[in-house]
């Protein structure tokens, strides 16, 4: 199929906006992009023309901290834990569909139950299930009794041999990366954010084994001493980073360790109330909010690569938009809208080593595109108005023609 997307302004994380632009899509990929008259001449008269009515066209968003099977303490989490494998698969498939339709065309799953994420990915790739492109860690690795051990989205390991085996089990299942819990967090009742959970030799075993297999490692982590140790050993990415210091931020920037701050998790009382999250967790989470934001600002000032990740399900309705966009708005308040656009598109794709196919609007890339009525490089809240979504050259949402989620 040959499609010509016209009457739009094209913008991504690397170029200045191209006004009065057109994008020619052939099959799954972009064949040409640029001023409308030039692209029209390249496409010829056989392409089906789609008028975007003056929209701003960007790459689809990439959410780097996703749990489609998330269970938090509380009534809603308990109901999800009682689901059998078939019901869980359908629940996750519904979440994948919602995620795609809100403009998130790529996700990085960082702990899903029972390896159901691999089955979901195969179904999406086969065209049986609508959903984003999935990069996944499989089950997160955790010490016995460590953060998240209560759920089947983690695998308990102990000792050097145990953690090496845990890495290899995820790789065998098809993991694109490895996730490890190296400290406590806000959702563990019998721990604190600064509880150390791996010994240095265990962490070194995870990193060495994963890197030997060509997989990057990201770590759930809060306190500076634990993260410093991990960065010095070669950690590729930090999730949350609740309690960074200026010295640690400088080290992360020097070593190329990225940060997915997940700012929403310490400023989401409405979400917690909706799920029936108990008071002890709400106090711990919301009480960490100010320090969490300070840590993020330190990372930005030091030049750390910061990437979009919501932790909340990407599609979840929250504060007038979805969790992905709300997280990006919080980031934008510190880094500005142009850098936020990069942090939500090309930045994540580069970390995933997928920039050959994704992350920008240019010839040769997969046509994963979204459209809205305002310029997101001027105001990140423009993403609240996503009204058109294309994945792999197929329009999956078009509010103006009746193709809706």
């Amino acid at each position: 199929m040959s499609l010509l997307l016209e009457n739009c302004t094209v913008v991504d994380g690397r170029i200045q906006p191209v006004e009065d632009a057109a994008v020619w899509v052939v099959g799954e990929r972009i064949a040409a992009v640029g001023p409308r008259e030039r692209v029209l001449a390249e496409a010829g008269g056989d392409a089906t023309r789609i008028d975007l009515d003056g929209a701003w066209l960007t790459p689809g968003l990439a959410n780097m901290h996703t749990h489609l099977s998330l269970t938090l303490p509380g009534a809603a989490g308990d109901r999800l834990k009682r689901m059998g494998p078939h019901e869980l698969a359908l629940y996750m498939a519904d979440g994948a569909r919602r995620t795609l339709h809100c403009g998130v065309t790529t996700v990085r799953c960082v702990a899903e139950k029972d390896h159901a994420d691999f089955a979901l990915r195969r179904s999406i790739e086969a065209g049986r299930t609508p959903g984003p492109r999935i990069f996944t860690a499989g089950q997160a690795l955790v010490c016995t009794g460590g953060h998240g051990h209560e759920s089947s989205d983690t695998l308990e390991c102990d000792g050097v041999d145990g953690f090496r085996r845990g890495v290899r089990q995820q790789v065998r299942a098809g993991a694109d990366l490895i996730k490890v819990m190296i400290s406590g967090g806000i959702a563990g009742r019998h721990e604190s954010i600064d509880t150390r959970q791996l010994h240095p030799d265990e962490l070194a075993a995870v990193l060495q084994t994963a890197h030997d297999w060509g997989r990057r490692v990201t770590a759930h982590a809060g306190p500076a001493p634990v993260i410093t140790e991990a960065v010095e050993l070669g950690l590729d990415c930090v999730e949350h980073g609740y309690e960074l210091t200026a010295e640690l931020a400088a080290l992360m920037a020097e070593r190329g360790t990225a940060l997915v701050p997940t700012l929403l998790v310490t400023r989401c009382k409405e979400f917690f109330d909706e799920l029936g999250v108990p008071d002890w967790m709400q106090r711990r989470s919301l009480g960490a909010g100010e320090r969490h934001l300070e840590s993020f600002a330190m990372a930005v000032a030091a030049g750390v690569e910061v990437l979009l990740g919501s932790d909340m399900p990407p599609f979840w309705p929250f504060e007038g938009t979805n969790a992905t966009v709300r997280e990006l708005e919080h980031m934008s308040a510190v880094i500005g809208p142009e850098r936020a656009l990069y942090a939500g598109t090309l930045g994540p794709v580069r970390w995933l080593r997928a920039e050959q196919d994704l992350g920008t609007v240019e010839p040769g890339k997969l046509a994963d595109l979204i459209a809205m009525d305002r310029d997101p490089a001027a105001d990140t809240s423009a993403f609240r108005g996503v009204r058109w979504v294309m994945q792999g050259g197929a329009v999956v949402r078009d509010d103006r023609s009746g193709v809706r989620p």
Side-chain angles (χ1 to χ4, degrees):
M1 181 175 292
S2 177
L3 301 175
L4 187 71
L5 316 178
E6 57 182 332
N7 191 11
C8 61
T9 298
V10 173
V11 63
D12 62 26
R14 65 184 178 91
I15 62 170
Q16 293 298 312
V18 180
E19 298 179 357
D20 192 22
V23 178
W24 181 27
V25 177
V26 178
E28 291 186 327
R29 295 185 181 268
I30 298 169
V33 57
R36 176 159 47 173
E37 293 304 319
R38 176 172 64 78
V39 176
L40 279 170
E42 289 187 54
D46 294 332
T48 299
R49 297 170 73 163
I50 297 177
D51 187 344
L52 292 177
D53 196 21
W56 293 79
L57 190 73
T58 76
L61 292 170
N63 192 315
M64 292 282 277
H65 194 119
T66 298
H67 303 283
L68 292 171
S69 58
L70 178 69
T71 51
L72 294 176
D78 291 342
R79 287 193 296 272
L80 187 54
K81 287 177 182 178
R82 291 194 294 269
M83 289 183 180
H86 308 302
E87 188 177 3
L88 176 65
L90 292 171
Y91 177 88
M92 292 176 65
D94 178 64
R97 176 185 62 85
R98 292 170 181 264
T99 295
L100 176 61
H101 287 160
C102 74
V104 178
T105 57
T106 299
V107 297
R108 186 185 69 164
C109 295
V110 286
E112 302 290 1
K113 291 179 173 50
D114 301 318
H115 282 173
D117 42 325
F118 298 109
L120 177 60
R121 180 172 66 183
R122 289 192 294 270
S123 185
I124 291 171
E125 289 175 348
R128 295 188 296 267
T129 302
R133 301 182 193 278
I134 292 178
F135 295 79
T136 186
Q139 294 169 304
L141 306 184
V142 58
C143 68
T144 295
H147 184 75
H149 76 278
E150 308 92 341
S151 175
S152 61
D153 58 8
T154 59
L155 178 67
E156 289 182 305
C157 308
D158 288 298
V160 168
D161 288 345
F163 276 100
R164 287 194 188 279
R165 187 177 301 112
V167 171
R168 291 169 180 149
Q169 286 176 311
Q170 305 317 304
V171 172
R172 180 181 64 186
D176 305 288
L177 65 142
I178 298 298
K179 168 123 178 248
V180 60
M181 312 292 206
I182 66 174
S183 80
I186 63 175
R189 186 161 196 173
H190 302 296
E191 63 188 33
S192 63
I193 288 175
D194 61 358
T195 301
R196 175 186 293 272
Q197 300 203 347
L198 268 70
H199 291 296
D201 59 345
E202 294 173 317
L203 179 55
V206 170
L207 291 164
Q208 180 184 8
T209 307
H211 290 163
D212 285 347
W213 284 89
R215 268 57 169 192
R216 286 181 165 170
V217 179
T218 193
H220 162 99
V226 174
I227 298 173
T228 299
E229 182 178 276
V231 172
E232 289 175 341
L233 287 170
L235 182 66
D236 302 295
C237 187
V238 172
E239 309 297 310
H240 313 304
Y242 301 118
E243 300 174 356
L244 304 183
T245 62
E247 293 77 15
L248 171 55
L251 178 65
M252 290 173 64
E254 177 188 335
R255 299 293 180 89
T257 307
L259 173 67
V260 180
T262 68
L263 297 172
L264 280 185
V265 300
T266 56
R267 41 194 39 83
C268 60
K269 179 169 175 52
E270 175 186 316
F271 175 67
F272 288 155
D273 288 343
E274 183 179 352
L275 269 58
V277 169
D279 288 343
W280 65 263
M281 180 177 164
Q282 293 209 30
R283 288 194 299 271
R284 182 184 298 177
S285 170
L286 303 176
E290 183 176 353
R291 182 70 176 86
H292 190 188
L293 191 59
E294 290 174 357
S295 293
F296 176 59
M298 288 177 190
V300 171
V304 174
E305 179 87 299
V306 294
L307 307 171
L308 168 65
S310 62
D311 204 348
M312 288 170 56
F315 60 87
W316 204 273
F318 184 66
E319 295 185 345
T321 183
N322 58 68
T324 301
V325 173
R326 193 70 187 101
E327 174 70 25
L328 199 58
E329 288 175 335
H330 280 300
M331 295 178 70
S332 181
V334 177
I335 64 178
E338 288 190 8
R339 188 169 175 188
L341 174 61
Y342 173 88
T345 54
L346 183 54
V349 163
R350 283 177 168 165
W351 194 95
L352 292 166
R353 298 170 172 157
E355 63 267 34
Q356 180 176 348
D357 291 319
L358 302 168
T360 57
V361 186
E362 60 181 317
K365 298 293 184 74
L366 288 164
D368 288 7
L369 305 168
I370 60 177
M372 64 218 76
D373 289 324
R374 294 190 294 121
D375 179 6
D379 181 0
T380 301
S381 293
F383 284 111
R384 290 179 174 238
V386 169
R387 59 171 171 83
W388 185 92
V389 179
M390 170 178 276
Q391 184 188 46
V395 178
V396 297
R397 174 182 174 181
D398 185 350
D399 292 359
R400 299 193 178 188
S401 69
V403 180
R404 296 177 182 272

mmCIF file of all heavy atoms in Angstrom, residues 88-125:
data_model
loop_
_atom_site.group_PDB
_atom_site.id
_atom_site.type_symbol
_atom_site.label_atom_id
_atom_site.label_comp_id
_atom_site.label_asym_id
_atom_site.label_seq_id
_atom_site.Cartn_x
_atom_site.Cartn_y
_atom_site.Cartn_z
ATOM 1 N N LEU A 88 -5.517 -13.206 32.539
ATOM 2 C CA LEU A 88 -4.396 -12.266 32.580
ATOM 3 C C LEU A 88 -3.953 -11.893 31.168
ATOM 4 O O LEU A 88 -3.701 -10.716 30.877
ATOM 5 C CB LEU A 88 -3.225 -12.875 33.349
ATOM 6 C CG LEU A 88 -1.952 -12.021 33.392
ATOM 7 C CD1 LEU A 88 -2.189 -10.737 34.170
ATOM 8 C CD2 LEU A 88 -0.788 -12.808 33.993
ATOM 9 N N ALA A 89 -3.874 -12.865 30.270
ATOM 10 C CA ALA A 89 -3.453 -12.578 28.896
ATOM 11 C C ALA A 89 -4.424 -11.622 28.216
ATOM 12 O O ALA A 89 -4.004 -10.686 27.511
ATOM 13 C CB ALA A 89 -3.356 -13.884 28.108
ATOM 14 N N LEU A 90 -5.722 -11.824 28.448
ATOM 15 C CA LEU A 90 -6.715 -10.928 27.847
ATOM 16 C C LEU A 90 -6.634 -9.534 28.456
ATOM 17 O O LEU A 90 -6.788 -8.527 27.751
ATOM 18 C CB LEU A 90 -8.115 -11.518 28.022
ATOM 19 C CG LEU A 90 -8.391 -12.792 27.218
ATOM 20 C CD1 LEU A 90 -9.709 -13.406 27.635
ATOM 21 C CD2 LEU A 90 -8.394 -12.494 25.721
ATOM 22 N N TYR A 91 -6.387 -9.461 29.754
ATOM 23 C CA TYR A 91 -6.231 -8.170 30.439
ATOM 24 C C TYR A 91 -5.046 -7.404 29.850
ATOM 25 O O TYR A 91 -5.143 -6.204 29.549
ATOM 26 C CB TYR A 91 -6.044 -8.416 31.927
ATOM 27 C CG TYR A 91 -5.791 -7.174 32.744
ATOM 28 C CD1 TYR A 91 -6.848 -6.429 33.259
ATOM 29 C CD2 TYR A 91 -4.487 -6.756 33.025
ATOM 30 C CE1 TYR A 91 -6.612 -5.285 34.017
ATOM 31 C CE2 TYR A 91 -4.243 -5.618 33.777
ATOM 32 C CZ TYR A 91 -5.317 -4.887 34.277
ATOM 33 O OH TYR A 91 -5.077 -3.763 35.021
ATOM 34 N N MET A 92 -3.934 -8.087 29.664
ATOM 35 C CA MET A 92 -2.742 -7.436 29.122
ATOM 36 C C MET A 92 -2.951 -7.028 27.668
ATOM 37 O O MET A 92 -2.479 -5.973 27.233
ATOM 38 C CB MET A 92 -1.536 -8.356 29.273
ATOM 39 C CG MET A 92 -1.108 -8.577 30.709
ATOM 40 S SD MET A 92 0.250 -9.775 30.873
ATOM 41 C CE MET A 92 1.584 -8.911 30.047
ATOM 42 N N ALA A 93 -3.666 -7.861 26.906
ATOM 43 C CA ALA A 93 -3.937 -7.513 25.506
ATOM 44 C C ALA A 93 -4.802 -6.264 25.419
ATOM 45 O O ALA A 93 -4.590 -5.405 24.544
ATOM 46 C CB ALA A 93 -4.624 -8.681 24.806
ATOM 47 N N ASP A 94 -5.763 -6.136 26.322
ATOM 48 C CA ASP A 94 -6.591 -4.923 26.340
ATOM 49 C C ASP A 94 -5.734 -3.704 26.667
ATOM 50 O O ASP A 94 -5.877 -2.639 26.052
ATOM 51 C CB ASP A 94 -7.714 -5.068 27.367
ATOM 52 C CG ASP A 94 -8.570 -3.820 27.460
ATOM 53 O OD1 ASP A 94 -9.222 -3.473 26.469
ATOM 54 O OD2 ASP A 94 -8.576 -3.183 28.538
ATOM 55 N N GLY A 95 -4.820 -3.852 27.612
ATOM 56 C CA GLY A 95 -3.920 -2.753 27.934
ATOM 57 C C GLY A 95 -3.009 -2.386 26.782
ATOM 58 O O GLY A 95 -2.724 -1.209 26.548
ATOM 59 N N ALA A 96 -2.563 -3.379 26.038
ATOM 60 C CA ALA A 96 -1.711 -3.114 24.877
ATOM 61 C C ALA A 96 -2.476 -2.319 23.819
ATOM 62 O O ALA A 96 -1.941 -1.372 23.220
ATOM 63 C CB ALA A 96 -1.203 -4.432 24.292
ATOM 64 N N ARG A 97 -3.720 -2.701 23.582
ATOM 65 C CA ARG A 97 -4.543 -1.973 22.611
ATOM 66 C C ARG A 97 -4.734 -0.529 23.043
ATOM 67 O O ARG A 97 -4.572 0.405 22.239
ATOM 68 C CB ARG A 97 -5.907 -2.664 22.480
ATOM 69 C CG ARG A 97 -6.902 -1.941 21.567
ATOM 70 C CD ARG A 97 -8.264 -2.630 21.602
ATOM 71 N NE ARG A 97 -8.845 -2.606 22.933
ATOM 72 C CZ ARG A 97 -9.557 -1.579 23.423
ATOM 73 N NH1 ARG A 97 -9.755 -0.491 22.685
ATOM 74 N NH2 ARG A 97 -10.052 -1.638 24.644
ATOM 75 N N ARG A 98 -5.074 -0.317 24.295
ATOM 76 C CA ARG A 98 -5.272 1.041 24.813
ATOM 77 C C ARG A 98 -3.986 1.860 24.715
ATOM 78 O O ARG A 98 -4.008 3.055 24.420
ATOM 79 C CB ARG A 98 -5.749 0.981 26.261
ATOM 80 C CG ARG A 98 -7.152 0.403 26.448
ATOM 81 C CD ARG A 98 -7.431 0.161 27.930
ATOM 82 N NE ARG A 98 -8.729 -0.398 28.150
ATOM 83 C CZ ARG A 98 -9.826 0.297 28.461
ATOM 84 N NH1 ARG A 98 -9.748 1.611 28.569
ATOM 85 N NH2 ARG A 98 -10.978 -0.309 28.665
ATOM 86 N N THR A 99 -2.866 1.208 24.991
ATOM 87 C CA THR A 99 -1.574 1.882 24.925
ATOM 88 C C THR A 99 -1.295 2.378 23.517
ATOM 89 O O THR A 99 -0.914 3.545 23.307
ATOM 90 C CB THR A 99 -0.467 0.919 25.389
ATOM 91 O OG1 THR A 99 -0.666 0.602 26.782
ATOM 92 C CG2 THR A 99 0.908 1.523 25.211
ATOM 93 N N LEU A 100 -1.474 1.519 22.532
ATOM 94 C CA LEU A 100 -1.244 1.915 21.142
ATOM 95 C C LEU A 100 -2.157 3.062 20.734
ATOM 96 O O LEU A 100 -1.710 4.036 20.109
ATOM 97 C CB LEU A 100 -1.471 0.720 20.221
ATOM 98 C CG LEU A 100 -1.359 0.987 18.715
ATOM 99 C CD1 LEU A 100 0.037 1.478 18.351
ATOM 100 C CD2 LEU A 100 -1.717 -0.271 17.925
ATOM 101 N N HIS A 101 -3.402 2.983 21.087
ATOM 102 C CA HIS A 101 -4.363 3.990 20.648
ATOM 103 C C HIS A 101 -4.143 5.349 21.303
ATOM 104 O O HIS A 101 -4.611 6.359 20.776
ATOM 105 C CB HIS A 101 -5.778 3.489 20.898
ATOM 106 C CG HIS A 101 -6.195 2.413 19.941
ATOM 107 N ND1 HIS A 101 -7.237 1.542 20.203
ATOM 108 C CD2 HIS A 101 -5.705 2.050 18.731
ATOM 109 C CE1 HIS A 101 -7.370 0.709 19.182
ATOM 110 N NE2 HIS A 101 -6.452 0.999 18.286
ATOM 111 N N CYS A 102 -3.428 5.401 22.411
ATOM 112 C CA CYS A 102 -3.145 6.715 22.995
ATOM 113 C C CYS A 102 -1.859 7.320 22.445
ATOM 114 O O CYS A 102 -1.424 8.383 22.895
ATOM 115 C CB CYS A 102 -3.135 6.656 24.524
ATOM 116 S SG CYS A 102 -1.710 5.889 25.286
ATOM 117 N N GLY A 103 -1.253 6.655 21.467
ATOM 118 C CA GLY A 103 -0.094 7.225 20.790
ATOM 119 C C GLY A 103 1.247 6.674 21.230
ATOM 120 O O GLY A 103 2.284 7.151 20.777
ATOM 121 N N VAL A 104 1.243 5.667 22.088
ATOM 122 C CA VAL A 104 2.482 5.016 22.517
ATOM 123 C C VAL A 104 2.693 3.807 21.608
ATOM 124 O O VAL A 104 2.007 2.788 21.743
ATOM 125 C CB VAL A 104 2.419 4.587 23.986
ATOM 126 C CG1 VAL A 104 3.705 3.868 24.400
ATOM 127 C CG2 VAL A 104 2.182 5.800 24.885
ATOM 128 N N THR A 105 3.620 3.913 20.675
ATOM 129 C CA THR A 105 3.814 2.857 19.690
ATOM 130 C C THR A 105 4.943 1.899 20.042
ATOM 131 O O THR A 105 5.112 0.881 19.375
ATOM 132 C CB THR A 105 4.081 3.475 18.302
ATOM 133 O OG1 THR A 105 5.213 4.351 18.384
ATOM 134 C CG2 THR A 105 2.866 4.272 17.820
ATOM 135 N N THR A 106 5.702 2.226 21.094
ATOM 136 C CA THR A 106 6.778 1.352 21.567
ATOM 137 C C THR A 106 6.787 1.362 23.088
ATOM 138 O O THR A 106 6.652 2.430 23.703
ATOM 139 C CB THR A 106 8.151 1.827 21.056
ATOM 140 O OG1 THR A 106 8.164 1.807 19.630
ATOM 141 C CG2 THR A 106 9.276 0.942 21.569
ATOM 142 N N VAL A 107 6.945 0.181 23.698
ATOM 143 C CA VAL A 107 7.081 0.105 25.152
ATOM 144 C C VAL A 107 8.262 -0.778 25.520
ATOM 145 O O VAL A 107 8.651 -1.677 24.767
ATOM 146 C CB VAL A 107 5.806 -0.444 25.842
ATOM 147 C CG1 VAL A 107 4.621 0.479 25.620
ATOM 148 C CG2 VAL A 107 5.481 -1.868 25.388
ATOM 149 N N ARG A 108 8.813 -0.474 26.687
ATOM 150 C CA ARG A 108 9.805 -1.352 27.292
ATOM 151 C C ARG A 108 9.187 -1.895 28.576
ATOM 152 O O ARG A 108 8.983 -1.153 29.543
ATOM 153 C CB ARG A 108 11.093 -0.566 27.598
ATOM 154 C CG ARG A 108 12.239 -1.440 28.102
ATOM 155 C CD ARG A 108 13.453 -0.618 28.516
ATOM 156 N NE ARG A 108 13.199 0.159 29.710
ATOM 157 C CZ ARG A 108 14.144 0.714 30.468
ATOM 158 N NH1 ARG A 108 15.414 0.602 30.134
ATOM 159 N NH2 ARG A 108 13.826 1.416 31.539
ATOM 160 N N CYS A 109 8.845 -3.175 28.572
ATOM 161 C CA CYS A 109 8.256 -3.808 29.755
ATOM 162 C C CYS A 109 9.375 -4.193 30.714
ATOM 163 O O CYS A 109 10.363 -4.812 30.314
ATOM 164 C CB CYS A 109 7.455 -5.047 29.364
ATOM 165 S SG CYS A 109 5.997 -4.705 28.350
ATOM 166 N N VAL A 110 9.193 -3.839 31.989
ATOM 167 C CA VAL A 110 10.277 -4.045 32.960
ATOM 168 C C VAL A 110 9.829 -4.892 34.141
ATOM 169 O O VAL A 110 10.262 -4.669 35.265
ATOM 170 C CB VAL A 110 10.863 -2.689 33.424
ATOM 171 C CG1 VAL A 110 11.719 -2.073 32.334
ATOM 172 C CG2 VAL A 110 9.773 -1.714 33.858
ATOM 173 N N ALA A 111 9.005 -5.880 33.885
ATOM 174 C CA ALA A 111 8.576 -6.919 34.833
ATOM 175 C C ALA A 111 7.121 -7.233 34.551
ATOM 176 O O ALA A 111 6.231 -6.434 34.857
ATOM 177 C CB ALA A 111 8.761 -6.527 36.299
ATOM 178 N N GLU A 112 6.894 -8.391 33.953
ATOM 179 C CA GLU A 112 5.542 -8.847 33.659
ATOM 180 C C GLU A 112 5.357 -10.268 34.187
ATOM 181 O O GLU A 112 6.301 -11.040 34.280
ATOM 182 C CB GLU A 112 5.264 -8.805 32.151
ATOM 183 C CG GLU A 112 5.428 -7.430 31.512
ATOM 184 C CD GLU A 112 4.350 -6.419 31.901
ATOM 185 O OE1 GLU A 112 3.445 -6.757 32.691
ATOM 186 O OE2 GLU A 112 4.430 -5.269 31.420
ATOM 187 N N LYS A 113 4.135 -10.591 34.501
ATOM 188 C CA LYS A 113 3.825 -11.850 35.165
ATOM 189 C C LYS A 113 3.960 -13.060 34.235
ATOM 190 O O LYS A 113 3.473 -13.053 33.113
ATOM 191 C CB LYS A 113 2.411 -11.798 35.749
ATOM 192 C CG LYS A 113 2.284 -10.836 36.927
ATOM 193 C CD LYS A 113 0.870 -10.789 37.450
ATOM 194 C CE LYS A 113 0.805 -9.951 38.718
ATOM 195 N NZ LYS A 113 1.442 -8.636 38.586
ATOM 196 N N ASP A 114 4.606 -14.093 34.766
ATOM 197 C CA ASP A 114 4.578 -15.436 34.160
ATOM 198 C C ASP A 114 5.052 -15.477 32.714
ATOM 199 O O ASP A 114 4.652 -16.362 31.951
ATOM 200 C CB ASP A 114 3.161 -16.023 34.249
ATOM 201 C CG ASP A 114 2.664 -16.120 35.685
ATOM 202 O OD1 ASP A 114 3.457 -16.512 36.559
ATOM 203 O OD2 ASP A 114 1.500 -15.783 35.933
ATOM 204 N N HIS A 115 5.857 -14.505 32.307
ATOM 205 C CA HIS A 115 6.338 -14.440 30.923
ATOM 206 C C HIS A 115 5.205 -14.290 29.914
ATOM 207 O O HIS A 115 5.373 -14.604 28.718
ATOM 208 C CB HIS A 115 7.194 -15.666 30.577
ATOM 209 C CG HIS A 115 8.589 -15.589 31.131
ATOM 210 N ND1 HIS A 115 9.475 -16.640 31.063
ATOM 211 C CD2 HIS A 115 9.269 -14.581 31.758
ATOM 212 C CE1 HIS A 115 10.630 -16.293 31.622
ATOM 213 N NE2 HIS A 115 10.518 -15.042 32.054
ATOM 214 N N ALA A 116 4.071 -13.768 30.363
ATOM 215 C CA ALA A 116 2.958 -13.522 29.442
ATOM 216 C C ALA A 116 3.306 -12.454 28.412
ATOM 217 O O ALA A 116 2.695 -12.396 27.339
ATOM 218 C CB ALA A 116 1.714 -13.104 30.229
ATOM 219 N N ASP A 117 4.275 -11.602 28.728
ATOM 220 C CA ASP A 117 4.687 -10.552 27.786
ATOM 221 C C ASP A 117 5.242 -11.118 26.488
ATOM 222 O O ASP A 117 5.064 -10.531 25.419
ATOM 223 C CB ASP A 117 5.713 -9.622 28.445
ATOM 224 C CG ASP A 117 6.752 -10.355 29.271
ATOM 225 O OD1 ASP A 117 6.415 -11.381 29.890
ATOM 226 O OD2 ASP A 117 7.907 -9.900 29.332
ATOM 227 N N PHE A 118 5.887 -12.284 26.566
ATOM 228 C CA PHE A 118 6.441 -12.872 25.349
ATOM 229 C C PHE A 118 5.335 -13.378 24.427
ATOM 230 O O PHE A 118 5.405 -13.218 23.208
ATOM 231 C CB PHE A 118 7.419 -13.994 25.705
ATOM 232 C CG PHE A 118 8.601 -13.511 26.495
ATOM 233 C CD1 PHE A 118 8.738 -13.828 27.828
ATOM 234 C CD2 PHE A 118 9.578 -12.716 25.903
ATOM 235 C CE1 PHE A 118 9.827 -13.380 28.564
ATOM 236 C CE2 PHE A 118 10.669 -12.258 26.627
ATOM 237 C CZ PHE A 118 10.794 -12.586 27.967
ATOM 238 N N ALA A 119 4.305 -13.986 25.019
ATOM 239 C CA ALA A 119 3.164 -14.424 24.213
ATOM 240 C C ALA A 119 2.444 -13.223 23.611
ATOM 241 O O ALA A 119 2.024 -13.247 22.443
ATOM 242 C CB ALA A 119 2.201 -15.246 25.067
ATOM 243 N N LEU A 120 2.289 -12.164 24.393
ATOM 244 C CA LEU A 120 1.631 -10.955 23.890
ATOM 245 C C LEU A 120 2.449 -10.357 22.740
ATOM 246 O O LEU A 120 1.881 -9.956 21.716
ATOM 247 C CB LEU A 120 1.470 -9.942 25.020
ATOM 248 C CG LEU A 120 0.866 -8.593 24.637
ATOM 249 C CD1 LEU A 120 -0.534 -8.766 24.061
ATOM 250 C CD2 LEU A 120 0.838 -7.657 25.843
ATOM 251 N N ARG A 121 3.749 -10.303 22.886
ATOM 252 C CA ARG A 121 4.594 -9.754 21.819
ATOM 253 C C ARG A 121 4.445 -10.563 20.536
ATOM 254 O O ARG A 121 4.327 -9.988 19.447
ATOM 255 C CB ARG A 121 6.059 -9.722 22.263
ATOM 256 C CG ARG A 121 6.991 -9.158 21.204
ATOM 257 C CD ARG A 121 8.396 -8.954 21.732
ATOM 258 N NE ARG A 121 9.058 -10.212 22.065
ATOM 259 C CZ ARG A 121 10.275 -10.279 22.609
ATOM 260 N NH1 ARG A 121 10.927 -9.172 22.914
ATOM 261 N NH2 ARG A 121 10.810 -11.446 22.882
ATOM 262 N N ARG A 122 4.451 -11.889 20.659
ATOM 263 C CA ARG A 122 4.289 -12.722 19.464
ATOM 264 C C ARG A 122 2.941 -12.473 18.796
ATOM 265 O O ARG A 122 2.842 -12.416 17.561
ATOM 266 C CB ARG A 122 4.437 -14.200 19.832
ATOM 267 C CG ARG A 122 5.856 -14.610 20.179
ATOM 268 C CD ARG A 122 5.996 -16.114 20.250
ATOM 269 N NE ARG A 122 5.221 -16.691 21.344
ATOM 270 C CZ ARG A 122 5.671 -16.875 22.578
ATOM 271 N NH1 ARG A 122 6.906 -16.494 22.894
ATOM 272 N NH2 ARG A 122 4.911 -17.430 23.498
ATOM 273 N N SER A 123 1.897 -12.303 19.592
ATOM 274 C CA SER A 123 0.568 -12.072 19.040
ATOM 275 C C SER A 123 0.490 -10.726 18.320
ATOM 276 O O SER A 123 -0.112 -10.607 17.252
ATOM 277 C CB SER A 123 -0.483 -12.139 20.156
ATOM 278 O OG SER A 123 -1.784 -12.027 19.636
ATOM 279 N N ILE A 124 1.111 -9.698 18.900
ATOM 280 C CA ILE A 124 1.144 -8.379 18.255
ATOM 281 C C ILE A 124 1.928 -8.446 16.953
ATOM 282 O O ILE A 124 1.499 -7.943 15.907
ATOM 283 C CB ILE A 124 1.748 -7.321 19.216
ATOM 284 C CG1 ILE A 124 0.780 -7.059 20.383
ATOM 285 C CG2 ILE A 124 2.052 -6.025 18.465
ATOM 286 C CD1 ILE A 124 1.387 -6.209 21.491
ATOM 287 N N GLU A 125 3.092 -9.108 16.984
ATOM 288 C CA GLU A 125 3.927 -9.189 15.790
ATOM 289 C C GLU A 125 3.244 -9.985 14.675
ATOM 290 O O GLU A 125 3.456 -9.718 13.490
ATOM 291 C CB GLU A 125 5.270 -9.821 16.143
ATOM 292 C CG GLU A 125 6.157 -8.908 16.990
ATOM 293 C CD GLU A 125 7.439 -9.573 17.440
ATOM 294 O OE1 GLU A 125 7.555 -10.823 17.297
ATOM 295 O OE2 GLU A 125 8.331 -8.860 17.940
#
